[in-house]
C-alpha cells in the first residue's frame, strides 16, 4: 500500500516522505546479506545478491545422513570418592564412583530413607497412672516396645523373636496379645497427653485401633477355611458352579422378558430392578472374596445396600408442585404394579377421547357444523382436552337423545294412525297389537330415562320433545301394565 | 543408578557352603571365585617331601601341617594327604582352616586386598551366635576389613528371587531346609531342616555298591581298555600310589564318584512314584573311571524319590530318618501364622544345587498343589543362579545404597565388641 502511495507521489511528482523510506531500505540491506545461503561462494553472492535463493538448494553439496548425537555431547567425568553416610553414627567412610559434577559436600542420597518410627516412651508415674495391666509387667511392656521399635512394627517378625522369660504356668503370648498390648498402651498415651493439634490426636488414635476379639475370630475363620477337606472343597466348587448356572439362567430369562416387554409394551426405559437383583446376587456370592478371607474385615451390610437404586423421591408437596407447575396424574390404584401394567410416558394429545364407533359419523357431522375438528387440537392443554372431552360427551348424548326422540315421534304417528283406524272400524279385537305396543313402550321409557340421566341437553327443542315423549310413555305404561298382568293370569 | 537404588562401594560377598566357597564383587551376577570347601592336608608326622603343583596353595595349619586348598587341593593325589572339611551340616565346626580358605579365595583367586573392601558373609538360618561372632572376629582381626556384615542365606535367596517374603526351599550338599522369610526376616520358629541329601547320597552309594561297582578314582588308574556294557572292567591300578591313600581321601573320592553319578543319573518322576512309569523311562548309560559301563533304569528314580517320599519299611527300620521335603514344608508352615500361608505358598523359592535333579520342580509343584491350590514356585532356570542363589542375593544386598548404613564398621567393632553383631545383623 505504501509502495503504491509512493508511486502515486512520484507520478504526481509530489516531494514528500521519500527520503526516510530510502533510509530504511538502506538500513535493512546489511542484515539480509548476513544470511548467505550455503553452497554459493562469497564472490558470487555479492554479485547476484539475495535475488537467487531458489538456486541455493541445488548448489548445496550432497552430504551423508547426520549421525545421531545420543550422549548429549561431551564426556562425563567420573571419580572415585569417599563418602560418609548420614544415616550412620560412626565415621565409616566407604568409596564409590560419582560424577565429578556432583557436589562433594552434598548429603548421601540414600540417607533420607533411614526413617525411624515414632517410639512411645513413658515415665514411671505415667505407667502407674494409666498403663497398669494385670497381665503385663512394666518390664515386659518395655521389652515389647523395644522389639516393635527394632523390627519396625513387622508383627510376624516381632512375634517370632518375642522371647520374654515368663513363669512356667503361664501360656505363651499370642500375636494378638502383643498387638493388643502395644496398641492399647499407645492409645492411652495419646489420649492422656496434651496435643497441640487435635486432628492429629484423633488421627493417631484411629490408627491405633485394634480389636483383639475380631482379629481372633478372623483367624479362626481362616483356619476353618484352611482346614476344609478335599471333599468339602469339591462340594463347594460344585455348589458354586450350580449357583453360577442358576444365575445365568435367571439372567437369560430376564433378558428375554425384557426383550418381550420392549416389543409388546414398547417400554424403552430400562427396568432398574432387574439390574439391581443381578448386582446384589453376584456380590454376595462372589467366591473369590470369600476365599481370600478379606471380607471378614469389611462389614457386609454396606456392600449389599449400596447398589440398590434410589427411587426418585416423590415430592407430594402441593406447594412444591404448584411452584414448579407439576401436575400429577395419580396412577390407578386397582391395577397391580407389575411390568404388564407399566405405562410408558405419552403425549396428552395422543389420548384424546374418541366417540363410539356406531355414532362416530354423526358426532363428526355435528361437530363439523360447529366448525370443530375433534380428532386434532391445535393446543392440547389440559383444560382444552377436558373441554373437548365434555363436548364430545354432550354431543354423543345429544345424538342419542335425538335418535330416541325420532323413534318416539314415529311410534306416536303409528299409534295415532292405528287409533284412527280403530275409530273408523268402531269395534275390534286389538289386544294383541296393544300388547306389542306395550312392550315397545316399556323399552322406550327405559331408554328415555337413561337419556335423561346421561344428557343435559341444551337445546330447548330437544327438551320439549323429551318431556312430551316421557309423559306419553308413562301414561301408556300405567294403563297397560295391569292389563297385561290380567291377561297373563287368564292364560295361565 | 539412583533409580535402581544401587550404589556400589566395591564390597565383597563371601558365601561359604559345605561343598564350595564362593566369593565375588557385590553387583556382579555370579561369583568370581569358586573353590571347594574341602581341603587336603598332610599331618606333620608325615616325613615325605611332596612337590606341590603350581596352582595349589600351602598355608600353615595351626597344627603345623601342610594344607592344600583350592581346585587342585583335594583332587590332586598326594601320598598321605588327608581331606578335611571345616563345615558340618552347613555350620562351621572347625574355624582353624577358615582363614586359609578365605585368604585363598580372596587373595589368591580374586587377587584383592581384603582390607580395602567391605565384606558381606553368609550364614545359615540356624547359625549359632558364637559362630557369627567368630566369623566377624576373623574378618576384622585377621583380614582388617573396613566393614563387615553377616546375612542369612534364606533372606539372601529371597532377595535373589526379587522378593521380600518367600518360603525358601534350599537343598544343599548336606542339608535340605525350608525357611520362611517375611519382610526380609527369617521366622526362626518356622525353620525346618534335615540331612536329606546325605540320605540320598547314602542310597545312591548303596545302589552302586549293590551292583558291585568299584569306585576307584581316575587318579589311581594307570590304564584301562574299553569294554562292552556290563562286562567286567579291564584296568590297571597305580600300585605305587595305593600305599599313600588315606582313609579320608578314599572317603572323599568315593563320595565324589557317587555324587557325580547322582548328578548325572538321578531323576525324579514328576507325577509321583509309579513302577510302570519308572520302567518306561529310557535307561541311561554311565561309565565309571574304571571303564566299567552299564545302563541304569528305575534305579535312577529311586534316588530322587527319596526327596519326596519314604517307603514305610524304610521309616520303620530307621527312626531317625531325615524328613523329606513335603514334610519339611508342612512342618514349617504349621509353625507359621495362618495368615502367612497364602503369602508363603505364593512365593516358594527353590534354590541350591540339590534341586537341579531333573523333574524336581515339577514334582514339588505337583506335591504342593494338592494341598495348596494357589502355590507358585520360583526356580531360576540358570544353574549358576540356582546353585549360588545366596551369593547372588548377597551381591544384590551389598550393592544397595540403603544397605550401607547397616555395615558393622571396624570402629564399631572396636567400640562395642562382639555384641554389635547380634545387634546389627538381625
Amino acid at each position: 500500500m505504501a509502495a503504491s502511495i509512493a508511486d502515486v507521489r512520484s507520478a504526481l511528482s509530489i516531494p514528500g516522505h521519500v527520503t526516510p523510506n530510502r533510509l530504511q531500505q538502506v538500513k535493512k540491506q546489511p542484515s539480509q546479506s548476513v544470511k548467505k545461503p550455503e553452497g554459493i561462494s562469497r564472490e558470487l553472492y555479492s554479485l547476484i545478491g539475495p535475488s537467487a535463493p531458489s538456486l541455493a538448494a541445488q548448489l548445496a553439496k550432497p552430504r551423508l545422513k547426520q549421525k545421531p548425537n545420543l550422549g548429549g555431547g561431551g564426556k562425563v567425568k567420573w571419580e572415585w570418592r569417599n563418602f560418609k553416610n548420614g544415616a550412620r553414627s560412626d565415621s565409616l567412610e566407604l568409596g564409590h564412583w560419582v560424577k565429578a559434577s556432583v557436589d562433594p559436600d552434598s548429603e548421601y542420597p540414600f540417607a533420607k530413607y533411614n526413617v525411624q518410627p515414632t517410639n512411645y516412651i513413658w515415665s514411671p508415674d505415667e505407667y502407674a497412672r494409666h498403663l497398669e495391666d494385670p497381665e503385663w509387667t512394666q518390664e515386659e511392656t518395655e521389652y515389647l516396645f523395644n522389639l516393635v521399635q527394632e523390627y519396625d512394627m513387622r508383627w510376624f517378625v516381632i512375634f517370632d523373636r518375642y522371647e520374654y522369660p515368663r513363669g512356667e504356668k503361664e501360656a505363651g503370648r499370642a500375636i494378638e496379645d502383643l498387638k493388643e498390648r502395644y496398641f492399647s498402651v499407645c492409645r492411652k498415651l495419646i489420649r492422656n497427653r496434651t496435643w497441640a493439634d487435635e486432628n492429629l490426636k484423633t488421627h493417631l488414635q484411629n490408627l491405633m485401633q485394634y480389636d483383639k476379639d475380631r482379629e481372633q475370630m478372623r483367624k479362626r475363620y481362616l483356619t476353618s477355611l484352611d482346614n476344609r477337606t478335599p471333599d468339602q472343597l469339591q462340594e463347594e466348587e460344585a455348589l458354586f458352579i450350580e449357583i453360577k448356572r442358576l444365575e445365568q439362567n435367571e439372567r437369560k430369562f430376564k433378558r428375554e422378558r425384557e426383550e418381550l416387554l420392549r416389543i409388546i409394551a414398547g417400554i424403552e426405559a430400562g427396568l432398574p430392578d432387574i439390574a439391581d437383583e443381578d448386582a446384589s446376587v453376584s456380590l454376595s456370592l462372589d467366591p473369590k472374596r470369600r476365599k481370600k478371607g478379606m471380607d471378614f474385615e469389611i462389614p457386609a451390610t454396606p456392600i449389599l445396600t449400596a447398589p440398590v437404586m434410589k427411587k426418585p423421591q416423590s415430592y407430594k408437596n402441593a406447594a412444591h408442585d404448584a411452584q414448579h407447575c407439576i401436575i400429577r396424574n395419580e396412577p390407578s390404584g386397582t391395577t397391580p404394579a407389575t411390568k404388564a401394567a407399566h405405562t410408558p410416558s405419552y403425549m396428552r394429545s395422543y389420548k384424546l377421547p374418541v366417540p363410539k364407533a356406531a355414532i362416530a359419523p354423526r358426532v363428526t357431522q355435528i361437530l363439523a357444523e360447529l366448525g370443530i375438528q375433534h380428532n386434532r387440537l391445535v393446543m392440547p392443554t389440559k383444560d382444552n382436552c377436558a373441554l373437548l372431552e365434555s363436548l364430545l360427551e354432550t354431543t354423543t348424548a345429544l345424538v342419542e337423545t335425538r335418535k330416541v326422540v325420532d323413534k318416539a315421534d314415529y311410534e306416536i304417528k303409528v299409534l295415532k294412525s292405528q287409533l284412527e283406524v280403530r275409530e273408523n272400524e268402531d269395534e275390534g279385537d286389538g289386544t294383541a297389537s296393544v300388547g306389542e305396543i306395550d312392550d315397545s313402550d316399556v323399552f322406550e321409557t327405559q331408554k328415555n330415562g337413561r337419556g335423561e340421566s346421561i344428557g343435559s341437553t341444551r337445546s330447548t327443542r330437544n327438551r320439549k320433545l323429551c318431556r312430551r315423549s316421557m309423559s306419553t310413555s308413562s301414561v301408556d305404561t300405567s294403563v297397560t301394565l295391569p292389563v297385561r298382568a290380567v291377561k297373563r293370569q287368564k292364560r295361565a | 543408578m539412583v533409580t535402581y537404588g544401587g550404589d556400589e562401594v566395591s564390597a565383597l560377598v563371601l558365601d561359604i557352603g559345605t561343598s564350595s566357597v564362593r566369593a565375588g564383587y557385590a553387583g556382579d551376577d555370579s561369583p568370581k571365585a569358586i573353590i571347594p570347601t574341602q581341603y587336603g592336608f598332610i599331618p606333620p608326622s608325615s616325613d615325605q617331601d611332596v612337590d606341590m603343583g603350581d596352582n595349589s596353595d600351602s598355608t600353615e595349619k595351626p597344627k603345623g601341617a601342610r594344607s592344600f586348598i583350592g581346585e587342585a587341593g583335594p583332587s590332586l593325589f598326594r601320598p598321605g594327604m588327608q581331606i578335611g572339611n571345616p563345615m558340618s551340616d552347613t555350620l562351621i565346626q572347625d574355624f582353624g582352616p577358615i582363614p586359609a580358605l578365605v585368604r585363598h579365595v580372596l587373595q589368591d583367586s580374586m587377587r584383592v586386598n581384603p582390607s580395602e573392601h567391605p565384606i558381606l558373609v553368609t550364614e545359615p538360618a540356624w547359625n549359632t551366635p558364637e559362630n557369627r561372632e567368630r566369623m566377624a572376629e576373623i574378618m576384622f582381626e585377621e583380614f582388617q576389613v573396613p566393614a563387615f556384615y553377616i546375612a542369612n542365606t534364606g533372606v539372601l535367596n529371597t532377595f535373589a528371587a526379587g522378593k521380600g517374603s518367600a518360603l525358601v526351599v534350599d537343598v544343599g550338599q548336606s542339608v535340605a531346609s525350608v525357611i520362611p522369610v517375611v519382610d526380609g526376616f527369617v521366622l526362626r520358629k518356622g525353620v525346618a531342616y534335615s540331612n536329606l541329601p546325605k540320605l540320598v547320597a547314602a542310597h545312591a552309594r548303596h545302589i552302586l555298591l549293590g551292583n558291585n561297582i568299584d569306585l576307584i578314582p581316575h587318579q589311581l588308574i594307570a590304564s584301562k581298555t574299553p569294554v562292552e556294557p556290563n562286562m567286567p572292567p579291564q584296568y590297571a591300578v597305580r600300585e605305587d600310589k595305593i600305599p599313600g591313600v588315606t582313609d579320608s581321601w578314599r572317603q572323599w573320592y568315593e563320595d565324589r564318584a557317587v555324587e557325580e553319578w547322582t548328578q548325572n543319573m538321578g531323576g525324579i518322576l514328576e507325577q509321583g512314584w509309579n513302577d510302570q512309569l519308572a520302567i518306561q523311562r529310557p535307561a541311561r548309560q554311565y561309565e565309571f573311571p574304571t571303564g566299567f559301563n552299564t545302563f541304569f533304569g528305575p534305579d535312577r528314580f529311586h534316588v530322587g524319590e527319596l526327596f519326596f517320599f519314604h517307603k514305610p519299611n524304610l521309616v520303620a527300620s530307621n527312626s531317625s530318618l531325615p524328613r523329606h521335603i513335603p514334610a519339611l514344608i508342612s512342618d514349617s508352615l504349621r509353625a507359621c501364622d495362618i495368615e502367612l500361608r497364602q503369602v508363603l505358598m505364593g512365593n516358594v523359592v527353590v534354590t541350591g544345587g540339590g534341586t537341579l535333579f531333573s523333574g524336581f520342580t515339577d514334582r514339588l509343584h505337583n506335591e504342593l498343589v494338592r494341598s495348596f491350590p494357589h502355590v507358585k514356585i520360583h526356580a531360576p532356570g540358570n544353574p549358576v543362579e540356582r546353585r549360588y542363589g545366596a551369593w547372588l542375593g548377597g551381591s544384590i544386598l551389598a550393592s544397595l545404597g540403603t544397605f550401607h548404613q547397616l555395615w558393622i564398621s571396624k570402629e564399631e567393632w572396636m567400640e562395642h565388641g562382639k555384641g554389635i553383631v547380634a545387634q546389627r545383623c538381625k
Side-chain angles (χ1 to χ4, degrees):
Chain A
M1 197 61 188
S4 67
I5 287 170
D7 289 347
V8 169
R9 276 203 178 112
S10 68
L12 296 174
S13 64
I14 300 169
H17 307 279
V18 182
T19 24
N21 264 351
R22 197 166 285 168
L23 272 175
Q24 278 175 2
Q25 279 173 357
V26 168
K27 271 179 195 167
K28 277 176 192 168
Q29 283 288 347
S31 66
Q32 281 175 352
S33 66
V34 170
K35 288 182 188 171
K36 184 176 80 72
E38 277 183 41
I40 305 179
S41 68
R42 187 169 50 83
E43 291 81 11
L44 179 60
Y45 183 69
S46 67
L47 276 176
I48 62 171
S51 58
S54 58
L55 283 172
Q58 292 164 4
L59 287 166
K61 255 191 209 166
R63 277 188 304 181
L64 293 172
K65 197 180 171 188
Q66 288 246 312
K67 280 182 185 167
N69 184 7
L70 297 172
K75 289 173 195 159
V76 178
K77 198 163 187 292
W78 291 77
E79 57 184 27
W80 181 264
R81 248 187 235 163
N82 284 346
F83 68 94
K84 278 193 73 173
N85 191 338
R88 293 189 69 91
S89 56
D90 63 342
S91 64
L92 175 73
E93 282 204 3
L94 297 166
H96 60 177
W97 286 103
V98 279
K99 281 180 182 168
S101 55
V102 174
D103 178 19
D105 298 325
S106 64
E107 207 195 337
Y108 186 55
F110 294 102
K112 64 174 181 241
Y113 297 112
N114 183 31
V115 185
Q116 299 290 337
T118 47
N119 194 16
Y120 291 91
I121 45 172
W122 54 84
S123 61
D125 176 50
E126 234 176 345
Y127 187 89
R129 267 193 291 142
H130 307 298
L131 308 177
E132 284 288 358
D133 189 316
E135 287 279 302
W136 291 77
T137 63
Q138 188 172 351
E139 288 74 33
E140 194 173 357
T141 313
E142 272 164 16
Y143 175 80
L144 169 70
F145 271 67
N146 284 339
L147 266 188
V148 171
Q149 170 82 358
E150 196 176 336
Y151 291 108
D152 216 359
M153 304 254 292
R154 292 182 176 92
W155 284 105
F156 296 116
V157 184
I158 292 163
F159 174 63
D160 186 63
R161 308 287 158 96
Y162 193 88
E163 279 167 355
Y164 190 79
R166 303 179 75 214
E168 283 292 314
K169 59 182 184 294
E170 289 172 273
R173 297 213 186 273
I175 189 166
E176 287 85 11
D177 297 331
L178 303 183
K179 277 191 186 178
E180 196 199 21
R181 178 63 177 163
Y182 178 80
F183 287 123
S184 71
V185 167
C186 287
R187 272 203 310 272
K188 282 171 188 163
L189 286 176
I190 290 166
R191 194 163 55 230
N192 292 308
R193 280 179 185 174
T194 47
W195 289 79
D197 186 0
E198 277 297 314
N199 286 339
L200 183 68
K201 181 180 173 179
T202 47
H203 176 67
L204 277 175
Q205 278 205 303
N206 286 339
L207 280 184
M208 295 295 177
Q209 289 301 333
Y210 184 75
D211 188 349
K212 183 180 164 187
D213 293 336
R214 192 185 165 84
E215 288 291 303
Q216 279 175 335
M217 191 175 73
R218 191 171 65 84
K219 209 156 274 187
R220 277 201 300 277
Y221 276 134
L222 265 182
T223 319
S224 67
L225 268 184
D226 209 66
N227 288 342
R228 284 174 300 177
T229 61
D231 283 347
Q232 283 169 323
L233 277 176
Q234 218 163 20
E235 193 184 333
E236 206 167 273
E237 194 74 9
L239 280 175
F240 174 65
I241 289 168
E242 181 73 18
I243 282 172
K244 274 274 153 197
R245 206 175 54 79
L246 285 175
E247 226 173 275
Q248 208 169 359
N249 281 352
E250 184 87 341
R251 216 176 294 134
K252 197 174 147 199
F253 170 71
K254 274 180 180 162
R255 212 171 32 238
E256 278 173 2
R257 194 176 65 169
E258 202 176 343
E259 194 71 18
L260 269 178
L261 280 174
R262 194 170 290 142
I263 292 166
I264 295 169
I267 299 169
E268 290 300 335
L271 303 169
D273 58 336
I274 288 177
D276 272 0
E277 281 165 35
D278 269 3
S280 60
V281 162
S282 61
L283 261 177
S284 60
L285 294 169
D286 195 344
K288 278 174 191 159
R289 299 186 68 88
R290 270 194 61 193
K291 280 186 185 167
K292 278 199 178 150
M294 294 293 286
D295 54 341
F296 298 111
E297 281 187 326
I298 305 162
T301 34
I303 297 169
L304 288 175
T305 49
V308 174
M309 264 186 163
K310 272 188 187 168
K311 292 270 160 67
Q313 212 173 342
S314 55
Y315 294 98
K316 293 271 169 162
N317 199 326
H320 177 270
D321 283 0
Q323 195 189 347
H324 292 91
C325 303
I326 294 170
I327 297 150
R328 294 185 184 282
N329 294 320
E330 284 301 319
S332 54
T334 49
T335 46
T338 56
K339 295 284 147 39
H342 178 82
T343 42
S345 55
Y346 58 90
M347 303 285 281
R348 194 183 282 125
S349 54
Y350 284 2
K351 290 283 170 92
L352 287 179
V354 183
K356 263 186 224 164
I359 53 168
R362 295 207 56 193
V363 172
T364 322
Q365 196 190 338
I366 290 166
L367 287 176
E369 277 171 27
L370 295 171
I372 293 170
Q373 247 188 324
H374 79 281
N375 51 7
R376 198 178 146 265
L377 273 182
V378 176
M379 194 68 71
T381 62
K382 196 188 179 199
D383 293 346
N384 284 353
C385 282
L387 278 176
L388 182 70
E389 202 173 334
S390 66
L391 177 61
L392 278 173
E393 226 167 70
T394 17
T395 319
T396 315
L398 175 63
V399 169
E400 300 250 327
T401 321
R402 186 189 274 175
K403 237 164 92 183
V404 172
V405 169
D406 287 352
K407 203 171 185 182
D409 276 350
Y410 176 72
E411 294 290 340
I412 289 164
K413 234 185 259 174
V414 168
L415 284 174
K416 271 184 180 166
S417 61
Q418 280 181 351
L419 192 64
E420 275 172 33
V421 169
R422 255 181 230 185
E423 277 168 1
N424 291 349
E425 286 178 5
D426 201 5
E427 201 64 46
D429 191 5
T431 42
S433 65
V434 169
E436 271 171 19
I437 294 159
D438 266 359
D439 278 352
S440 71
D441 263 356
V442 171
F443 181 66
E444 289 289 319
T445 323
Q446 282 166 347
K447 267 205 169 173
N448 265 337
R450 196 169 2 156
E452 182 71 20
S453 69
I454 294 167
S456 55
T457 31
R458 272 157 208 163
S459 94
T460 43
R461 182 180 148 266
N462 268 351
R463 205 169 276 172
K464 274 178 191 165
L465 274 171
C466 202
R467 262 186 212 145
R468 209 191 303 158
S469 71
M470 243 173 77
S471 57
T472 45
S473 62
S474 62
V475 167
D476 271 0
T477 38
S478 58
V479 172
T480 47
L481 263 174
V483 178
R484 248 182 98 192
V486 171
K487 280 284 158 202
R488 277 182 187 157
Q489 276 174 351
K490 273 181 183 172
R491 273 179 199 166
Chain B
M1 217 164 83
V2 175
T3 49
Y4 295 100
D7 183 20
E8 290 176 22
V9 296
S10 75
L12 301 175
V13 180
L14 179 68
D15 179 21
I16 304 177
T18 312
S19 64
S20 61
V21 178
R22 285 79 75 167
Y25 291 106
D28 282 4
D29 58 359
S30 58
K32 280 266 181 289
I34 301 165
I35 61 162
T37 314
Q38 287 104 336
Y39 62 97
F41 66 93
I42 299 171
S45 56
S46 163
D47 50 14
Q48 277 184 308
D49 193 18
V50 182
D51 182 31
M52 296 179 304
D54 286 341
N55 47 1
S56 68
D57 182 62
S58 94
T59 40
E60 290 302 308
K61 270 202 67 173
K63 299 170 201 163
R66 314 193 72 173
S67 62
F68 308 92
I69 294 170
E71 271 311 320
S75 56
L76 212 66
F77 175 80
R78 297 177 185 92
M81 182 177 75
Q82 299 191 358
I83 301 297
N85 190 342
M87 309 286 285
S88 166
D89 298 350
T90 72
L91 290 184
I92 301 173
Q93 301 293 351
D94 176 15
F95 273 93
I98 290 294
L101 273 170
V102 173
R103 187 166 290 124
H104 181 92
V105 74
L106 294 183
Q107 291 179 345
D108 300 326
S109 295
M110 283 181 70
R111 303 215 166 271
V112 294
N113 182 358
S115 64
E116 291 170 359
H117 302 271
I119 191 160
L120 184 137
V121 183
T122 65
E123 59 166 0
W126 50 93
N127 202 10
T128 60
E130 297 77 36
N131 257 359
R132 60 208 316 231
E133 282 164 11
R134 182 87 179 87
M135 184 52 96
E137 195 181 342
I138 289 172
M139 286 300 161
F140 281 119
E141 308 295 336
E142 295 215 21
F143 293 98
Q144 303 290 325
V145 293
F148 167 83
Y149 192 82
I150 191 159
N152 196 296
T153 50
V155 176
L156 295 182
N157 273 308
T158 312
F159 290 163
K163 297 170 191 294
S165 304
L167 188 74
V168 179
V169 177
D170 185 350
V171 184
Q173 200 192 35
S174 64
V175 168
S177 61
V178 174
I179 302 164
V181 177
V182 173
D183 286 343
F185 289 97
V186 169
L187 295 188
R188 290 183 190 151
K189 285 168 185 160
V191 171
Y193 61 101
S194 71
N195 285 326
L196 190 60
K198 281 187 173 169
L199 176 77
V200 174
H203 187 71
R205 176 192 285 266
H206 176 74
I207 288 172
L208 293 185
L209 295 181
N211 288 345
N212 290 322
I213 294 164
D214 284 327
L215 296 173
I216 295 174
H218 62 87
Q219 287 97 328
L220 296 183
I221 289 168
S223 64
K224 59 184 175 185
T225 48
V227 293
E228 289 297 309
N230 289 323
M231 295 309 280
Q234 295 170 3
Y235 63 96
V237 179
R238 287 278 297 263
E239 295 294 347
D240 57 323
K241 281 185 178 178
I242 292 297
V245 173
T246 59
D247 284 347
S248 64
W249 195 67
R250 178 189 299 277
Q251 184 68 37
W252 174 81
Y253 77 61
E254 283 186 357
D255 284 348
R256 194 172 156 119
V258 170
E259 196 183 317
E260 257 172 34
W261 178 83
T262 318
Q263 284 173 4
N264 283 293
M265 295 283 108
I268 292 167
L269 292 175
E270 290 86 352
Q271 304 296 338
W273 186 256
N274 183 332
D275 282 324
Q276 286 297 320
L277 275 178
I279 289 164
Q280 277 172 15
R281 294 292 179 99
R284 269 203 217 166
Q285 193 180 19
Y286 187 80
E287 186 183 299
F288 290 90
T290 55
F292 174 77
N293 64 88
T294 185
F295 289 89
F296 291 93
D299 274 349
R300 305 199 290 127
F301 299 101
H302 279 301
V303 179
E305 188 64 19
L306 282 174
F307 280 113
F308 292 96
F309 179 72
H310 294 163
K311 283 178 185 158
N313 57 2
L314 187 69
V315 178
S317 66
N318 191 346
S319 57
S320 62
L321 201 68
R323 287 170 289 172
H324 51 68
I325 284 170
L328 288 174
I329 288 176
S330 62
D331 284 359
S332 174
L333 281 185
R334 204 174 302 126
C336 290
D337 199 280
I338 183 114
E339 269 181 277
L340 289 172
R341 281 188 196 174
Q342 193 88 25
V343 178
L344 293 177
M345 291 322 287
N347 295 289
V348 176
V349 172
V350 173
T351 185
T355 63
L356 284 170
F357 276 92
S358 68
F360 185 96
T361 316
D362 291 335
R363 176 68 183 275
L364 184 63
H365 185 266
N366 288 336
E367 292 278 340
L368 291 181
V369 87
R370 259 182 248 151
S371 31
F372 306 97
H374 303 294
V375 70
K376 199 169 178 190
I377 292 180
H378 174 99
N382 179 353
V384 175
E385 260 180 61
R386 183 84 72 90
R387 291 172 73 188
Y388 309 130
W391 186 90
L392 182 62
S395 163
I396 292 168
L397 181 63
S399 60
L400 286 179
T402 44
F403 172 72
H404 300 318
Q405 68 183 67
L406 289 174
W407 292 109
I408 301 167
S409 67
K410 195 166 174 57
E411 183 189 333
E412 283 170 317
W413 171 258
M414 306 289 258
E415 194 180 325
H416 301 283
K418 291 177 175 175
I420 188 82
V421 180
Q423 198 185 326
R424 189 65 60 78
C425 312
K426 293 165 188 169

